[in-house]
Amino acid sequence: MAIPDKKERYSYADYLTWDEGGRFELIDGEVFNMSPAPSRRHQQVLRELSTAFSVFLREEECEVFFAPFDVRLLVENKQDDDINNVVQPDLSIVCDQKKLDDKGCNGAPDMIIEILSPSSVKLDRWKKFQLYEKAGVKEYWLVDPVNESVEIYFLINEQYKFQGVFTKADKISVNILIGLELDLNQIFE
């Protein structure tokens, strides 16, 4: 079934009935269409990031997942009808295996990376930023493939603290994964 236009707020139960061909997200019950498909440059950067994380995490308990992968947020003790936040981050790192089920991640990942697209800048920088902060995502990266930069935030005392903007010339450490350092020249190659 396609998304009906009659409702103002939707739940995860509604989301599960929608066409599998489309990609959608729910934030506070509001629907966001994830079309069109990401650009080739977006996909290249996503590939490099997912490869770096996958290689590092091969023998670790944490796992990396890339879109489409449903992340249900602010779900504590809620049924599908009461869950109003379902997102598909470009990359999610989940260290608590109890949060993983056949539908995706049920709770806040430890880290989320969003790769900016012209159509997603406001959503990623504002609505998702606030949602991820409220849900308790420990580390949030905004990756700009056009300007070849990474903006990093850490959750400190339940609020995101800006850590800086890093470019191709930089090597950056992943706060939640001790020992992982990424050479941004390789990521933006």
Side-chain angles (χ1 to χ4, degrees), residues 46-114:
L46 177 59
R47 179 191 64 227
E48 294 303 317
L49 284 166
S50 63
T51 299
F53 279 92
S54 295
V55 168
F56 183 82
L57 294 173
R58 188 163 282 141
E59 302 297 322
E60 303 295 324
E61 192 162 313
C62 299
E63 290 187 64
V64 62
F65 298 93
F66 49 90
F69 178 74
D70 285 347
V71 174
R72 291 159 281 156
L73 296 169
L74 306 171
V75 296
E76 291 72 23
N77 303 314
K78 290 184 180 178
Q79 299 300 315
D80 289 353
D81 284 341
D82 298 320
I83 297 172
N84 297 320
N85 295 291
V86 185
V87 291
Q88 293 186 359
D90 288 301
L91 274 181
S92 302
I93 299 4
V94 182
C95 297
D96 183 351
Q97 296 294 309
K98 290 180 246 150
K99 291 182 180 181
L100 298 171
D101 60 23
D102 288 339
K103 295 177 183 177
C105 182
N106 192 28
D110 294 85
M111 179 178 185
I112 287 179
I113 298 175
E114 293 287 5

Side-chain angles (χ1 to χ4, degrees), residues 116-122 146:
L116 300 174
S117 298
S119 62
S120 74
V121 171
K122 186 174 181 181
V146 173

Side-chain angles (χ1 to χ4, degrees), residues 99-166:
K99 291 182 180 181
L100 298 171
D101 60 23
D102 288 339
K103 295 177 183 177
C105 182
N106 192 28
D110 294 85
M111 179 178 185
I112 287 179
I113 298 175
E114 293 287 5
I115 300 173
L116 300 174
S117 298
S119 62
S120 74
V121 171
K122 186 174 181 181
L123 183 64
D124 292 337
R125 287 192 178 282
W126 184 245
K127 283 197 176 273
K128 286 186 179 181
F129 180 96
Q130 291 179 316
L131 176 63
Y132 297 161
E133 182 180 61
K134 183 177 178 183
V137 175
K138 296 174 190 168
E139 190 164 349
Y140 182 40
W141 289 14
L142 290 161
V143 178
D144 184 340
V146 173
N147 294 307
E148 299 181 332
S149 66
V150 178
E151 196 172 309
I152 298 178
Y153 297 88
F154 298 154
L155 193 66
I156 300 171
N157 298 323
E158 300 180 6
Q159 286 193 315
Y160 278 138
K161 301 295 181 198
F162 176 69
Q163 300 302 306
V165 175
F166 304 89

